[in-house]
Amino acid sequence: MNRTYWFTGLSGAGKTTIGRLWYEKLREAGETAVFLDGDELRQVFGGDLGYTEADRRKSAMRNARLCALLAKQGITVVCCTISMFDSVRQWNRENIPGYFEIYVKASMDTLRQRNQKGLYGDGRDVAGVHFQVEEPKTPDLVLENDGQRTPEEQIEQLTQSITE
């Protein structure tokens, strides 16, 4: 059965790193899968949205609808996106076959230390800093990612969660 693995979390939490490793594992196992990254999807959809809460919500729904379209065609989807909105995640559960939500969680101290994209501290609209986010209430799996475990160990936890 194909699934949609929706990796959500704040910028710098490790969604893309862990999600890409998961995608590679699925492909090695012979799955027909696609990898979607929120930053890349913004460009694919024309780069017409900013980073306000309203634009982020529109972007999240674009991502969700694309995942639903692909899933309904029998393709396994790995989508890594902030999309910290309860309404989007609820839409996903109702409309995406095989939806599996993974919350990649990291403390604000960890996110500020990593700061790979230079977002924390530059005054832009940063989710979780400049506006409130809706933390996932019922994810299928929470991966605590403050650096105590390697991405490969996170993948092992995901694998165990799926096979239980």
mmCIF file of all heavy atoms in Angstrom, residues 108-155:
data_model
loop_
_atom_site.group_PDB
_atom_site.id
_atom_site.type_symbol
_atom_site.label_atom_id
_atom_site.label_comp_id
_atom_site.label_asym_id
_atom_site.label_seq_id
_atom_site.Cartn_x
_atom_site.Cartn_y
_atom_site.Cartn_z
ATOM 1 N N MET A 108 13.602 25.312 20.602
ATOM 2 C CA MET A 108 13.962 26.595 20.005
ATOM 3 C C MET A 108 15.459 26.866 20.164
ATOM 4 O O MET A 108 16.088 27.421 19.264
ATOM 5 C CB MET A 108 13.123 27.725 20.621
ATOM 6 C CG MET A 108 13.239 29.036 19.877
ATOM 7 S SD MET A 108 12.846 28.971 18.095
ATOM 8 C CE MET A 108 11.118 28.574 18.113
ATOM 9 N N ASP A 109 16.044 26.456 21.277
ATOM 10 C CA ASP A 109 17.499 26.625 21.459
ATOM 11 C C ASP A 109 18.263 25.875 20.374
ATOM 12 O O ASP A 109 19.214 26.400 19.794
ATOM 13 C CB ASP A 109 17.939 26.123 22.839
ATOM 14 C CG ASP A 109 17.552 27.068 23.960
ATOM 15 O OD1 ASP A 109 17.239 28.250 23.678
ATOM 16 O OD2 ASP A 109 17.551 26.622 25.126
ATOM 17 N N THR A 110 17.837 24.641 20.084
ATOM 18 C CA THR A 110 18.490 23.844 19.039
ATOM 19 C C THR A 110 18.314 24.508 17.679
ATOM 20 O O THR A 110 19.272 24.606 16.899
ATOM 21 C CB THR A 110 17.914 22.414 19.009
ATOM 22 O OG1 THR A 110 18.189 21.783 20.263
ATOM 23 C CG2 THR A 110 18.512 21.590 17.881
ATOM 24 N N LEU A 111 17.113 24.976 17.384
ATOM 25 C CA LEU A 111 16.848 25.617 16.088
ATOM 26 C C LEU A 111 17.700 26.865 15.905
ATOM 27 O O LEU A 111 18.254 27.095 14.830
ATOM 28 C CB LEU A 111 15.363 25.971 15.969
ATOM 29 C CG LEU A 111 14.400 24.790 16.018
ATOM 30 C CD1 LEU A 111 12.964 25.285 16.003
ATOM 31 C CD2 LEU A 111 14.657 23.821 14.880
ATOM 32 N N ARG A 112 17.831 27.654 16.953
ATOM 33 C CA ARG A 112 18.655 28.875 16.868
ATOM 34 C C ARG A 112 20.133 28.529 16.697
ATOM 35 O O ARG A 112 20.853 29.222 15.991
ATOM 36 C CB ARG A 112 18.430 29.735 18.098
ATOM 37 C CG ARG A 112 17.113 30.472 18.052
ATOM 38 C CD ARG A 112 17.022 31.544 19.141
ATOM 39 N NE ARG A 112 15.888 32.391 18.887
ATOM 40 C CZ ARG A 112 14.790 32.422 19.637
ATOM 41 N NH1 ARG A 112 14.703 31.659 20.711
ATOM 42 N NH2 ARG A 112 13.797 33.219 19.341
ATOM 43 N N GLN A 113 20.586 27.455 17.330
ATOM 44 C CA GLN A 113 21.984 27.037 17.184
ATOM 45 C C GLN A 113 22.260 26.540 15.780
ATOM 46 O O GLN A 113 23.280 26.868 15.186
ATOM 47 C CB GLN A 113 22.336 25.945 18.200
ATOM 48 C CG GLN A 113 22.472 26.442 19.609
ATOM 49 C CD GLN A 113 22.625 25.306 20.609
ATOM 50 O OE1 GLN A 113 22.607 24.128 20.260
ATOM 51 N NE2 GLN A 113 22.762 25.662 21.882
ATOM 52 N N ARG A 114 21.350 25.745 15.219
ATOM 53 C CA ARG A 114 21.531 25.209 13.867
ATOM 54 C C ARG A 114 21.454 26.338 12.847
ATOM 55 O O ARG A 114 22.342 26.488 12.020
ATOM 56 C CB ARG A 114 20.465 24.157 13.557
ATOM 57 C CG ARG A 114 20.658 22.867 14.291
ATOM 58 C CD ARG A 114 19.573 21.882 13.952
ATOM 59 N NE ARG A 114 19.706 20.672 14.743
ATOM 60 C CZ ARG A 114 18.717 19.850 15.007
ATOM 61 N NH1 ARG A 114 17.512 20.082 14.525
ATOM 62 N NH2 ARG A 114 18.931 18.779 15.737
ATOM 63 N N ASN A 115 20.344 27.043 12.844
ATOM 64 C CA ASN A 115 20.110 28.223 12.005
ATOM 65 C C ASN A 115 20.722 28.120 10.615
ATOM 66 O O ASN A 115 21.343 29.060 10.120
ATOM 67 C CB ASN A 115 20.613 29.479 12.729
ATOM 68 C CG ASN A 115 19.954 30.733 12.206
ATOM 69 O OD1 ASN A 115 18.913 30.684 11.565
ATOM 70 N ND2 ASN A 115 20.578 31.859 12.472
ATOM 71 N N GLN A 116 20.535 26.950 9.961
ATOM 72 C CA GLN A 116 21.165 26.694 8.657
ATOM 73 C C GLN A 116 20.798 27.734 7.598
ATOM 74 O O GLN A 116 21.610 28.073 6.752
ATOM 75 C CB GLN A 116 20.778 25.310 8.128
ATOM 76 C CG GLN A 116 21.271 24.180 8.978
ATOM 77 C CD GLN A 116 20.113 23.358 9.518
ATOM 78 O OE1 GLN A 116 19.083 23.875 9.905
ATOM 79 N NE2 GLN A 116 20.316 22.063 9.586
ATOM 80 N N LYS A 117 19.579 28.223 7.627
ATOM 81 C CA LYS A 117 19.129 29.150 6.594
ATOM 82 C C LYS A 117 19.252 30.607 7.025
ATOM 83 O O LYS A 117 18.853 31.503 6.294
ATOM 84 C CB LYS A 117 17.670 28.850 6.222
ATOM 85 C CG LYS A 117 17.481 27.472 5.633
ATOM 86 C CD LYS A 117 16.026 27.217 5.343
ATOM 87 C CE LYS A 117 15.804 25.786 4.891
ATOM 88 N NZ LYS A 117 14.376 25.495 4.729
ATOM 89 N N GLY A 118 19.793 30.835 8.219
ATOM 90 C CA GLY A 118 19.957 32.192 8.705
ATOM 91 C C GLY A 118 18.639 32.891 9.022
ATOM 92 O O GLY A 118 18.567 34.119 8.980
ATOM 93 N N LEU A 119 17.612 32.120 9.334
ATOM 94 C CA LEU A 119 16.290 32.698 9.572
ATOM 95 C C LEU A 119 16.110 33.245 10.977
ATOM 96 O O LEU A 119 15.430 34.242 11.173
ATOM 97 C CB LEU A 119 15.205 31.645 9.321
ATOM 98 C CG LEU A 119 15.104 31.098 7.909
ATOM 99 C CD1 LEU A 119 14.056 29.996 7.853
ATOM 100 C CD2 LEU A 119 14.761 32.199 6.938
ATOM 101 N N TYR A 120 16.699 32.573 11.949
ATOM 102 C CA TYR A 120 16.463 32.953 13.328
ATOM 103 C C TYR A 120 17.309 34.172 13.676
ATOM 104 O O TYR A 120 18.527 34.129 13.671
ATOM 105 C CB TYR A 120 16.752 31.775 14.265
ATOM 106 C CG TYR A 120 15.789 30.632 14.036
ATOM 107 C CD1 TYR A 120 16.151 29.537 13.251
ATOM 108 C CD2 TYR A 120 14.513 30.673 14.563
ATOM 109 C CE1 TYR A 120 15.251 28.495 13.027
ATOM 110 C CE2 TYR A 120 13.609 29.644 14.331
ATOM 111 C CZ TYR A 120 13.989 28.563 13.567
ATOM 112 O OH TYR A 120 13.091 27.550 13.331
ATOM 113 N N GLY A 121 16.616 35.278 13.907
ATOM 114 C CA GLY A 121 17.305 36.497 14.297
ATOM 115 C C GLY A 121 17.420 37.535 13.207
ATOM 116 O O GLY A 121 17.991 38.588 13.424
ATOM 117 N N ASP A 122 16.870 37.312 12.007
ATOM 118 C CA ASP A 122 17.032 38.310 10.949
ATOM 119 C C ASP A 122 15.789 39.167 10.724
ATOM 120 O O ASP A 122 15.737 39.953 9.809
ATOM 121 C CB ASP A 122 17.483 37.657 9.632
ATOM 122 C CG ASP A 122 16.371 36.935 8.894
ATOM 123 O OD1 ASP A 122 15.285 36.779 9.467
ATOM 124 O OD2 ASP A 122 16.607 36.529 7.747
ATOM 125 N N GLY A 123 14.757 38.988 11.566
ATOM 126 C CA GLY A 123 13.591 39.847 11.470
ATOM 127 C C GLY A 123 12.529 39.415 10.476
ATOM 128 O O GLY A 123 11.515 40.078 10.331
ATOM 129 N N ARG A 124 12.739 38.314 9.754
ATOM 130 C CA ARG A 124 11.720 37.845 8.814
ATOM 131 C C ARG A 124 10.595 37.167 9.575
ATOM 132 O O ARG A 124 10.688 36.942 10.771
ATOM 133 C CB ARG A 124 12.339 36.881 7.793
ATOM 134 C CG ARG A 124 13.348 37.580 6.933
ATOM 135 C CD ARG A 124 13.818 36.859 5.723
ATOM 136 N NE ARG A 124 13.660 35.438 5.681
ATOM 137 C CZ ARG A 124 14.279 34.666 4.817
ATOM 138 N NH1 ARG A 124 15.103 35.183 3.952
ATOM 139 N NH2 ARG A 124 14.092 33.368 4.801
ATOM 140 N N ASP A 125 9.528 36.839 8.864
ATOM 141 C CA ASP A 125 8.394 36.144 9.467
ATOM 142 C C ASP A 125 8.746 34.673 9.652
ATOM 143 O O ASP A 125 8.558 33.865 8.751
ATOM 144 C CB ASP A 125 7.151 36.270 8.575
ATOM 145 C CG ASP A 125 6.593 37.676 8.562
ATOM 146 O OD1 ASP A 125 6.686 38.346 9.601
ATOM 147 O OD2 ASP A 125 6.074 38.096 7.517
ATOM 148 N N VAL A 126 9.267 34.328 10.816
ATOM 149 C CA VAL A 126 9.704 32.962 11.095
ATOM 150 C C VAL A 126 8.646 32.264 11.937
ATOM 151 O O VAL A 126 8.276 32.740 13.016
ATOM 152 C CB VAL A 126 11.071 32.949 11.814
ATOM 153 C CG1 VAL A 126 11.496 31.533 12.148
ATOM 154 C CG2 VAL A 126 12.121 33.644 10.966
ATOM 155 N N ALA A 127 8.182 31.119 11.427
ATOM 156 C CA ALA A 127 7.187 30.325 12.150
ATOM 157 C C ALA A 127 7.741 29.923 13.504
ATOM 158 O O ALA A 127 8.864 29.450 13.609
ATOM 159 C CB ALA A 127 6.807 29.090 11.339
ATOM 160 N N GLY A 128 6.951 30.117 14.534
ATOM 161 C CA GLY A 128 7.359 29.758 15.876
ATOM 162 C C GLY A 128 8.109 30.852 16.603
ATOM 163 O O GLY A 128 8.325 30.773 17.809
ATOM 164 N N VAL A 129 8.510 31.900 15.861
ATOM 165 C CA VAL A 129 9.211 33.033 16.464
ATOM 166 C C VAL A 129 8.360 34.294 16.329
ATOM 167 O O VAL A 129 8.027 34.945 17.310
ATOM 168 C CB VAL A 129 10.595 33.267 15.817
ATOM 169 C CG1 VAL A 129 11.263 34.514 16.386
ATOM 170 C CG2 VAL A 129 11.486 32.053 16.010
ATOM 171 N N HIS A 130 8.020 34.641 15.094
ATOM 172 C CA HIS A 130 7.284 35.872 14.830
ATOM 173 C C HIS A 130 5.784 35.679 14.758
ATOM 174 O O HIS A 130 5.034 36.645 14.744
ATOM 175 C CB HIS A 130 7.803 36.529 13.549
ATOM 176 C CG HIS A 130 9.241 36.903 13.662
ATOM 177 N ND1 HIS A 130 10.243 36.150 13.090
ATOM 178 C CD2 HIS A 130 9.858 37.905 14.310
ATOM 179 C CE1 HIS A 130 11.405 36.695 13.371
ATOM 180 N NE2 HIS A 130 11.204 37.757 14.113
ATOM 181 N N PHE A 131 5.344 34.465 14.656
ATOM 182 C CA PHE A 131 3.917 34.169 14.768
ATOM 183 C C PHE A 131 3.747 32.765 15.325
ATOM 184 O O PHE A 131 4.608 31.901 15.150
ATOM 185 C CB PHE A 131 3.162 34.366 13.445
ATOM 186 C CG PHE A 131 3.564 33.437 12.346
ATOM 187 C CD1 PHE A 131 2.942 32.202 12.188
ATOM 188 C CD2 PHE A 131 4.566 33.790 11.457
ATOM 189 C CE1 PHE A 131 3.324 31.345 11.164
ATOM 190 C CE2 PHE A 131 4.948 32.940 10.435
ATOM 191 C CZ PHE A 131 4.322 31.713 10.289
ATOM 192 N N GLN A 132 2.644 32.601 16.021
ATOM 193 C CA GLN A 132 2.339 31.342 16.696
ATOM 194 C C GLN A 132 2.088 30.231 15.684
ATOM 195 O O GLN A 132 1.499 30.457 14.638
ATOM 196 C CB GLN A 132 1.092 31.548 17.565
ATOM 197 C CG GLN A 132 0.856 30.478 18.583
ATOM 198 C CD GLN A 132 1.884 30.494 19.701
ATOM 199 O OE1 GLN A 132 2.664 31.419 19.841
ATOM 200 N NE2 GLN A 132 1.900 29.446 20.488
ATOM 201 N N VAL A 133 2.552 29.041 15.997
ATOM 202 C CA VAL A 133 2.272 27.873 15.168
ATOM 203 C C VAL A 133 1.354 26.931 15.949
ATOM 204 O O VAL A 133 1.271 27.009 17.170
ATOM 205 C CB VAL A 133 3.555 27.119 14.756
ATOM 206 C CG1 VAL A 133 4.443 27.988 13.901
ATOM 207 C CG2 VAL A 133 4.312 26.614 15.954
ATOM 208 N N GLU A 134 0.676 26.083 15.210
ATOM 209 C CA GLU A 134 -0.179 25.083 15.826
ATOM 210 C C GLU A 134 0.590 23.767 15.830
ATOM 211 O O GLU A 134 0.688 23.096 14.806
ATOM 212 C CB GLU A 134 -1.489 24.982 15.038
ATOM 213 C CG GLU A 134 -2.267 26.278 15.067
ATOM 214 C CD GLU A 134 -3.417 26.337 14.079
ATOM 215 O OE1 GLU A 134 -3.505 25.492 13.155
ATOM 216 O OE2 GLU A 134 -4.240 27.250 14.222
ATOM 217 N N GLU A 135 1.143 23.457 16.972
ATOM 218 C CA GLU A 135 1.929 22.231 17.101
ATOM 219 C C GLU A 135 1.022 21.027 16.865
ATOM 220 O O GLU A 135 -0.111 21.001 17.347
ATOM 221 C CB GLU A 135 2.547 22.178 18.500
ATOM 222 C CG GLU A 135 3.517 21.050 18.682
ATOM 223 C CD GLU A 135 4.245 21.120 20.010
ATOM 224 O OE1 GLU A 135 3.626 21.505 21.015
ATOM 225 O OE2 GLU A 135 5.429 20.784 20.033
ATOM 226 N N PRO A 136 1.505 20.036 16.116
ATOM 227 C CA PRO A 136 0.678 18.849 15.859
ATOM 228 C C PRO A 136 0.180 18.214 17.160
ATOM 229 O O PRO A 136 0.959 17.996 18.086
ATOM 230 C CB PRO A 136 1.627 17.915 15.112
ATOM 231 C CG PRO A 136 2.617 18.822 14.475
ATOM 232 C CD PRO A 136 2.801 19.954 15.447
ATOM 233 N N LYS A 137 -1.122 17.947 17.199
ATOM 234 C CA LYS A 137 -1.730 17.377 18.404
ATOM 235 C C LYS A 137 -1.814 15.856 18.347
ATOM 236 O O LYS A 137 -1.774 15.187 19.380
ATOM 237 C CB LYS A 137 -3.114 17.969 18.605
ATOM 238 C CG LYS A 137 -3.073 19.455 18.935
ATOM 239 C CD LYS A 137 -4.460 20.072 18.888
ATOM 240 C CE LYS A 137 -4.436 21.564 19.135
ATOM 241 N NZ LYS A 137 -3.679 22.329 18.163
ATOM 242 N N THR A 138 -1.935 15.293 17.135
ATOM 243 C CA THR A 138 -2.092 13.839 17.011
ATOM 244 C C THR A 138 -1.225 13.271 15.886
ATOM 245 O O THR A 138 -1.721 12.543 15.021
ATOM 246 C CB THR A 138 -3.572 13.481 16.752
ATOM 247 O OG1 THR A 138 -3.999 14.151 15.556
ATOM 248 C CG2 THR A 138 -4.464 13.855 17.916
ATOM 249 N N PRO A 139 0.080 13.588 15.871
ATOM 250 C CA PRO A 139 0.912 12.985 14.823
ATOM 251 C C PRO A 139 0.994 11.481 15.027
ATOM 252 O O PRO A 139 0.811 10.982 16.141
ATOM 253 C CB PRO A 139 2.272 13.656 15.025
ATOM 254 C CG PRO A 139 2.295 14.013 16.474
ATOM 255 C CD PRO A 139 0.865 14.347 16.838
ATOM 256 N N ASP A 140 1.266 10.783 13.952
ATOM 257 C CA ASP A 140 1.447 9.339 14.050
ATOM 258 C C ASP A 140 2.763 8.994 14.719
ATOM 259 O O ASP A 140 2.906 7.920 15.308
ATOM 260 C CB ASP A 140 1.364 8.713 12.650
ATOM 261 C CG ASP A 140 -0.016 8.922 12.053
ATOM 262 O OD1 ASP A 140 -0.977 8.316 12.566
ATOM 263 O OD2 ASP A 140 -0.135 9.708 11.097
ATOM 264 N N LEU A 141 3.721 9.910 14.625
ATOM 265 C CA LEU A 141 5.031 9.695 15.228
ATOM 266 C C LEU A 141 5.673 11.045 15.535
ATOM 267 O O LEU A 141 5.573 11.977 14.726
ATOM 268 C CB LEU A 141 5.938 8.910 14.268
ATOM 269 C CG LEU A 141 7.371 8.640 14.714
ATOM 270 C CD1 LEU A 141 7.416 7.755 15.963
ATOM 271 C CD2 LEU A 141 8.170 8.009 13.583
ATOM 272 N N VAL A 142 6.318 11.142 16.690
ATOM 273 C CA VAL A 142 7.112 12.322 17.036
ATOM 274 C C VAL A 142 8.571 11.893 17.080
ATOM 275 O O VAL A 142 8.920 10.940 17.779
ATOM 276 C CB VAL A 142 6.702 12.920 18.406
ATOM 277 C CG1 VAL A 142 7.617 14.091 18.772
ATOM 278 C CG2 VAL A 142 5.244 13.352 18.401
ATOM 279 N N LEU A 143 9.395 12.573 16.307
ATOM 280 C CA LEU A 143 10.840 12.344 16.347
ATOM 281 C C LEU A 143 11.480 13.531 17.050
ATOM 282 O O LEU A 143 11.478 14.641 16.526
ATOM 283 C CB LEU A 143 11.406 12.199 14.929
ATOM 284 C CG LEU A 143 10.924 11.008 14.112
ATOM 285 C CD1 LEU A 143 11.504 11.059 12.698
ATOM 286 C CD2 LEU A 143 11.282 9.696 14.794
ATOM 287 N N GLU A 144 11.978 13.295 18.256
ATOM 288 C CA GLU A 144 12.687 14.345 18.992
ATOM 289 C C GLU A 144 14.056 14.487 18.340
ATOM 290 O O GLU A 144 14.803 13.516 18.261
ATOM 291 C CB GLU A 144 12.834 13.954 20.473
ATOM 292 C CG GLU A 144 11.525 13.772 21.202
ATOM 293 C CD GLU A 144 10.833 15.072 21.565
ATOM 294 O OE1 GLU A 144 11.474 16.143 21.494
ATOM 295 O OE2 GLU A 144 9.643 15.012 21.927
ATOM 296 N N ASN A 145 14.366 15.685 17.865
ATOM 297 C CA ASN A 145 15.589 15.849 17.081
ATOM 298 C C ASN A 145 16.437 17.009 17.590
ATOM 299 O O ASN A 145 16.711 17.963 16.867
ATOM 300 C CB ASN A 145 15.241 16.031 15.600
ATOM 301 C CG ASN A 145 16.435 15.783 14.705
ATOM 302 O OD1 ASN A 145 17.316 15.000 15.045
ATOM 303 N ND2 ASN A 145 16.474 16.450 13.574
ATOM 304 N N ASP A 146 16.868 16.899 18.835
ATOM 305 C CA ASP A 146 17.752 17.908 19.414
ATOM 306 C C ASP A 146 19.222 17.499 19.353
ATOM 307 O O ASP A 146 20.063 18.102 20.006
ATOM 308 C CB ASP A 146 17.352 18.205 20.864
ATOM 309 C CG ASP A 146 16.154 19.137 20.941
ATOM 310 O OD1 ASP A 146 16.049 20.046 20.099
ATOM 311 O OD2 ASP A 146 15.321 18.960 21.846
ATOM 312 N N GLY A 147 19.541 16.472 18.562
ATOM 313 C CA GLY A 147 20.934 16.107 18.352
ATOM 314 C C GLY A 147 21.411 14.895 19.120
ATOM 315 O O GLY A 147 22.560 14.481 18.959
ATOM 316 N N GLN A 148 20.556 14.303 19.944
ATOM 317 C CA GLN A 148 20.987 13.120 20.691
ATOM 318 C C GLN A 148 21.028 11.881 19.811
ATOM 319 O O GLN A 148 21.701 10.921 20.141
ATOM 320 C CB GLN A 148 20.057 12.853 21.894
ATOM 321 C CG GLN A 148 20.180 13.852 23.016
ATOM 322 C CD GLN A 148 19.367 15.121 22.765
ATOM 323 O OE1 GLN A 148 18.548 15.176 21.858
ATOM 324 N NE2 GLN A 148 19.627 16.139 23.552
ATOM 325 N N ARG A 149 20.283 11.904 18.697
ATOM 326 C CA ARG A 149 20.218 10.746 17.801
ATOM 327 C C ARG A 149 20.570 11.184 16.390
ATOM 328 O O ARG A 149 20.211 12.266 15.958
ATOM 329 C CB ARG A 149 18.813 10.150 17.842
ATOM 330 C CG ARG A 149 18.447 9.714 19.264
ATOM 331 C CD ARG A 149 17.016 9.291 19.412
ATOM 332 N NE ARG A 149 16.832 8.034 18.705
ATOM 333 C CZ ARG A 149 15.690 7.661 18.185
ATOM 334 N NH1 ARG A 149 14.641 8.426 18.258
ATOM 335 N NH2 ARG A 149 15.579 6.504 17.580
ATOM 336 N N THR A 150 21.238 10.311 15.672
ATOM 337 C CA THR A 150 21.602 10.596 14.288
ATOM 338 C C THR A 150 20.362 10.491 13.398
ATOM 339 O O THR A 150 19.370 9.858 13.786
ATOM 340 C CB THR A 150 22.650 9.590 13.774
ATOM 341 O OG1 THR A 150 22.035 8.289 13.713
ATOM 342 C CG2 THR A 150 23.897 9.566 14.653
ATOM 343 N N PRO A 151 20.400 11.072 12.209
ATOM 344 C CA PRO A 151 19.286 10.889 11.277
ATOM 345 C C PRO A 151 19.008 9.409 10.997
ATOM 346 O O PRO A 151 17.851 9.006 10.885
ATOM 347 C CB PRO A 151 19.756 11.627 10.019
ATOM 348 C CG PRO A 151 20.673 12.688 10.535
ATOM 349 C CD PRO A 151 21.386 12.033 11.699
ATOM 350 N N GLU A 152 20.047 8.599 10.919
ATOM 351 C CA GLU A 152 19.866 7.168 10.680
ATOM 352 C C GLU A 152 19.122 6.508 11.836
ATOM 353 O O GLU A 152 18.293 5.618 11.620
ATOM 354 C CB GLU A 152 21.225 6.493 10.449
ATOM 355 C CG GLU A 152 21.916 6.894 9.165
ATOM 356 C CD GLU A 152 22.590 8.285 9.210
ATOM 357 O OE1 GLU A 152 22.772 8.844 10.313
ATOM 358 O OE2 GLU A 152 22.906 8.803 8.126
ATOM 359 N N GLU A 153 19.406 6.934 13.065
ATOM 360 C CA GLU A 153 18.675 6.406 14.222
ATOM 361 C C GLU A 153 17.219 6.863 14.191
ATOM 362 O O GLU A 153 16.321 6.113 14.595
ATOM 363 C CB GLU A 153 19.354 6.842 15.525
ATOM 364 C CG GLU A 153 20.685 6.159 15.758
ATOM 365 C CD GLU A 153 21.480 6.745 16.910
ATOM 366 O OE1 GLU A 153 21.408 7.979 17.146
ATOM 367 O OE2 GLU A 153 22.185 5.973 17.573
ATOM 368 N N GLN A 154 16.982 8.067 13.695
ATOM 369 C CA GLN A 154 15.605 8.549 13.552
ATOM 370 C C GLN A 154 14.849 7.686 12.537
ATOM 371 O O GLN A 154 13.679 7.340 12.738
ATOM 372 C CB GLN A 154 15.572 10.019 13.115
ATOM 373 C CG GLN A 154 16.244 10.979 14.074
ATOM 374 C CD GLN A 154 15.426 11.263 15.328
ATOM 375 O OE1 GLN A 154 14.487 10.554 15.663
ATOM 376 N NE2 GLN A 154 15.795 12.310 16.036
ATOM 377 N N ILE A 155 15.531 7.323 11.454
ATOM 378 C CA ILE A 155 14.916 6.455 10.435
ATOM 379 C C ILE A 155 14.583 5.090 11.027
ATOM 380 O O ILE A 155 13.538 4.510 10.730
ATOM 381 C CB ILE A 155 15.856 6.313 9.203
ATOM 382 C CG1 ILE A 155 15.970 7.645 8.479
ATOM 383 C CG2 ILE A 155 15.400 5.194 8.274
ATOM 384 C CD1 ILE A 155 14.672 8.183 7.912
#
